[in-house]
Amino acid sequence: MNSDAVTKTSPHRALFHALGLTNEEIERPLIGIVSSQNDIVPGHMNLDKIVDAVKLGVAMAGGTPLVFPAIAVCDGLAMGHQGMKYSLVTRELIADSTEAMTLAHAFDALVMVPNCDKNVPGLLMAAARLNVPTIFVSGGPMLAGKVDGQKVSFSSVSEAVSQFQAGKITKEKLQEFENKGCPTCGSCSGMYTANSMNCLTEVLGMGLQGNGTIPAVYSSRIQLAKRAGMQIMELLKKNILPRDIMTKDAFENALTLDMALGCSTNSMLHLPAIAHECGIELNLEIANEISDKTPNLCHLAPAGHNFVEELDEAGGIYAVMNEVNKLGLLKTDLITCSGKTVGENIAGCLNKNTEVIRPVENPYSKTGGIAVLKGNLAPDSCVVKRSAVAPEMLKHEGPAKVFDCEEDAMQAITSGGITAGDVIVIRYEGPKGGPGMREMLNPTSAIMGSGLGGSVALITDGRFSGATRGAAIGHVSPEAAVGGNIALIENGDTIQIDIMANEINFVISDAELEKRRANWKPRKPKIVTGYLSRYAALVTSGNKGAILEIQKQ
C-alpha cells in the first residue's frame, strides 16, 4: 500500500488542502496514528499527550502524522453488569475499524497508541492483518496507591468491598481504599490484562523498550512516544513489516515471558487471536511445554506485593528477558521494531532488584505462571493463573455448586451459600453463551474477601480479570452453549482439580455422561439483536482465542 493512491490526483489533494496541509506535507509519507484516547477510561485520559509526542516524532523524522480513533472499553467500569458483555467483543471492532480507516486512506505506516485490555490486542490484530510498517507505544501503567503504608491497586478495592460486607473493615476504611486505590491515570497498576499485553507487545518486538513498564505519569513516557514516532520512519524506510516481526518464534518468546512474568490468563485468548491474523496457529498445548521449562520470576499484583512501577525500576521487560535467556529459552535472532534483534535489544539489560525479578537460580517456582488444564470437564482446554493460586489449592477436590450466570453465583457467595471445599461452576458465560465471555472479577474478589480463597475454587466458560487471584479456572472449552461437558455438571458432582498435573475432571460414569448429554437442550440466545447477536453467531470457543470464523455453508 502506498499513499500515492490519495496524494497524486487533484481531487484528492484538494481534500488534503481542506485539512490545512501544505504541499510539502502532502508529498511526505502519510503516517496514521491510531489513538485510543477517550474521557471514560483512566488508562486513556493521557493519550492525547502521548499522541502529540508521537506526532512531533513523526514530523521530526520527515513524515506527516494524521490521527484517527479506536474505541476502548474500561473493563473495571464494565464489570458486574451487562457492559462486560461488550468488553472482549470490542477487540474485533477495533481491528475491523482500523483496517477500514487504514485501507480507505492508504496510509504508508501506522503508530498504534493503545493502553487497556482489548484495544492492545485489537490493534495488534489489525497490525498483523494490514501488514504495513507499524510500531506501538502505550499510555503506560498507573502508579500504585497506598493505604496504611502498603501499596494497593484496583483489585485491592474490589476485595475491600467483600471485607466490608464480611465485617472485617469499617465503611471508612473501604472509602479510603476507594479514594486511594487508583491514584493516577494509566492502566491499572498490577500485572493485569492491560499491562500484560503492553509488556508482551514489547516481547513480540512491536514496541520499544519501556513500552510495557514506564509509568503513565513519567516524562520518560513522552520521550518514548517521540522515539516511536521517529522510529516508524525507519521501519518504513527499511520496509520492516509486522509479520516480519511477529513470527512463530516471536510468539513462543511471548509465551515464555508470559510464564516468567505471571501474566493475566487473558493473554491465552489474545496471543492465539493475534497469531491467527499472522497466519500462525498458536496451539495452547505448547503453553504447558513452555511452562515446564520456564521459571516464574515475578509475583506482581494480584499474585504478589510488587507493581509494574517496581518492575520498571528493576530493569523492565528486557531485564526479565535477559534473566530468562540465561537458560537459553529465547530466540534472540529475531528482528524487532527497534531495527535490532532481540539479542541486541536485551544485551546488557541487568536485573537491578532480585526481589522484584527473581534470578533463574531462585525462582518463585520452577514452572511458569499459567497452566492449561484438560480433562472430561474441559476436553479442549481451560486456563488458570497458577502463580496466583494458594499452594493448598493447587490440588483440590470438592462438590460442585452450579450456576447458569454470574449474578446467581454472586448472590450465593454474598449470602453465605458457599462453604469451604466447594467448587463453584459458572456456565453459559462463554463467548457464545454470554455472549461476550464476561470477566468474573466480582465473584473471585468476593471469594477472596470472604476468606474462602484457600478453600474454594471457581470454574467457568467465561474468563477472569487480570486482577483475579485464587483457584480461578476459566476459558472452559467447549463452552456450555455448544453442549460442552460443563453444561452437563450437576450440583453435588465431585470436581477434581490438579493444577500441577494440568488435569481437571468431574466424577461421572460414561453411561451417566451420555444420559445427561442426550437430555441436554441448547439454550435460546440471550440476545437476538445488534452486534452481540452477530458476534455470538461467528465466535469460537476460548481455546481458539474466541476469534470470529465465517460459518461454512
Side-chain angles (χ1 to χ4, degrees):
M1 186 169 58
N2 189 292
S3 61
D4 284 354
V6 293
T7 60
K8 296 306 180 185
T9 71
S10 292
H12 288 139
R13 292 173 69 87
L15 294 171
F16 281 116
H17 287 309
L19 291 172
L21 296 186
T22 64
N23 285 328
E24 291 81 0
E25 289 173 299
I26 298 170
E27 292 301 321
R28 294 173 181 170
L30 301 184
I31 310 301
I33 302 175
V34 190
S35 171
S36 299
Q37 194 276 330
N38 60 53
D39 292 342
I40 188 64
V41 182
H44 294 194
M45 62 178 286
N46 67 321
L47 294 192
D48 54 345
K49 295 177 176 60
I50 302 295
V51 166
D52 285 346
V54 171
K55 290 173 69 175
L56 185 57
V58 169
M60 286 192 295
T64 297
L66 296 164
V67 181
F68 64 88
I71 64 168
V73 164
C74 176
D75 276 30
L77 291 173
M79 196 74 65
H81 60 95
Q82 71 168 356
M84 183 45 70
K85 294 179 183 291
Y86 286 90
S87 171
L88 179 62
V89 306
T90 62
R91 191 182 67 180
E92 272 61 35
L93 287 175
I94 291 161
D96 291 348
S97 61
T98 302
E99 173 192 353
M101 287 293 290
T102 301
L103 295 179
H105 301 105
F107 287 108
D108 293 295
L110 298 169
V111 182
M112 307 293 200
V113 187
N115 211 28
C116 289
D117 291 26
K118 306 310 165 305
N119 71 315
V120 179
L123 289 177
L124 282 166
M125 290 166 66
R129 187 186 302 176
L130 291 162
N131 206 34
V132 300
T134 303
I135 195 168
F136 278 66
V137 56
S138 77
M142 185 184 290
L143 295 179
K146 272 195 175 181
V147 173
D148 297 332
Q150 299 294 316
K151 286 187 175 182
V152 297
S153 62
F154 178 70
S155 60
S156 308
V157 184
S158 298
E159 292 182 18
V161 172
S162 294
Q163 292 171 342
F164 169 68
Q165 291 171 340
K168 296 182 179 182
I169 62 172
T170 65
K171 183 177 182 180
E172 289 72 25
K173 182 57 68 176
L174 175 60
Q175 288 176 333
E176 186 178 359
F177 273 97
E178 177 185 323
N179 292 333
K180 296 180 178 179
C182 299
T184 72
C185 64
S187 47
C188 293
S189 53
M191 189 54 77
Y192 309 145
T193 305
N195 290 328
S196 294
M197 292 310 303
N198 281 326
C199 289
L200 294 181
T201 298
E202 206 173 318
V203 180
L204 281 170
M206 292 297 291
L208 296 174
Q209 182 179 11
N211 178 73
T213 59
I214 297 172
V217 295
Y218 283 13
S219 297
S220 51
R221 174 63 57 179
I222 300 297
Q223 294 169 339
L224 177 68
K226 291 176 183 176
R227 288 198 296 273
M230 291 185 279
Q231 183 60 22
I232 191 60
M233 300 306 296
E234 286 298 307
L235 295 176
L236 178 60
K237 184 191 304 180
K238 296 175 181 177
N239 197 35
I240 298 175
L241 305 177
R243 292 188 198 175
D244 298 330
I245 296 170
M246 291 192 286
T247 62
K248 186 174 182 180
D249 285 344
F251 282 103
E252 292 190 7
N253 280 353
L255 280 172
T256 299
L257 261 289
D258 197 332
M259 299 302 169
L261 290 166
C263 290
S264 163
T265 52
N266 282 313
S267 64
M268 295 292 103
L269 283 174
H270 300 320
L271 288 175
I274 299 160
H276 176 74
E277 294 289 352
C278 292
I280 298 167
E281 182 181 353
L282 194 63
N283 188 333
L284 285 186
E285 292 188 20
I286 70 168
N288 285 336
E289 297 174 21
I290 291 172
S291 180
D292 286 344
K293 57 188 177 183
T294 305
N296 178 224
L297 305 182
C298 300
H299 265 197
L300 302 171
H305 300 293
N306 295 319
F307 294 84
V308 178
E309 63 198 73
E310 290 154 329
L311 177 59
D312 187 64
E313 292 167 4
I317 298 305
Y318 281 11
V320 182
M321 294 176 74
N322 206 23
E323 189 70 44
V324 165
N325 204 45
K326 290 178 181 178
L327 301 175
L329 296 179
L330 298 179
K331 309 292 196 308
T332 58
D333 59 347
L334 311 179
I335 194 66
T336 70
C337 69
S338 70
K340 300 177 182 178
T341 65
V342 169
E344 290 171 324
N345 285 342
I346 67 175
C349 294
L350 302 179
N351 181 357
K352 301 174 185 176
N353 188 333
T354 56
E355 291 301 311
V356 177
I357 306 171
R358 288 275 187 95
V360 292
E361 299 84 7
N362 181 35
Y364 282 101
S365 68
K366 293 182 179 180
T367 54
I370 289 178
V372 177
L373 315 183
K374 295 182 77 171
N376 70 353
L377 196 154
D380 287 342
S381 69
C382 58
V383 177
V384 63
K385 188 171 183 175
R386 179 164 52 196
S387 60
V389 178
E392 62 270 24
M393 290 299 292
L394 290 171
K395 190 171 185 178
H396 180 74
E397 180 174 312
K401 293 284 182 72
V402 183
F403 305 94
D404 287 351
C405 66
E406 177 188 0
E407 289 80 2
D408 290 350
M410 273 298 293
Q411 173 63 28
I413 297 167
T414 56
S415 65
I418 302 299
T419 57
D422 286 345
V423 179
I424 301 168
V425 177
I426 306 177
R427 61 193 181 189
Y428 295 100
E429 290 285 7
K432 281 186 182 292
M437 205 178 188
R438 289 194 287 180
E439 288 184 344
M440 303 288 168
L441 178 60
N442 286 351
T444 55
S445 295
I447 290 168
M448 300 303 295
S450 301
L452 294 171
S455 60
V456 169
L458 195 160
I459 299 168
T460 181
D461 53 7
R463 60 194 179 91
F464 294 107
S465 166
T468 288
R469 63 191 178 103
I473 300 167
H475 310 185
V476 170
S477 302
E479 62 173 292
V482 298
N485 285 354
I486 190 173
L488 308 181
I489 299 172
E490 295 181 358
N491 281 313
D493 285 349
T494 298
I495 308 290
Q496 298 174 330
I497 302 165
D498 190 337
I499 292 174
M500 297 311 295
N502 304 316
E503 293 179 357
I504 185 165
N505 293 285
F506 65 115
V507 179
I508 189 171
S509 68
D510 290 343
E512 177 63 18
L513 184 63
E514 290 310 310
K515 178 182 174 183
R516 292 185 191 182
R517 192 183 311 283
N519 291 331
W520 178 81
K521 292 181 174 58
R523 303 291 179 90
K524 291 183 179 179
K526 294 177 183 177
I527 295 175
V528 295
T529 60
Y531 176 55
L532 283 181
S533 67
R534 299 195 300 276
Y535 178 88
L538 299 176
V539 71
T540 61
S541 276
N543 66 304
K544 292 186 176 181
I547 61 172
L548 302 187
E549 286 186 345
I550 302 298
Q551 302 300 305
K552 295 180 180 178
Q553 300 297 320

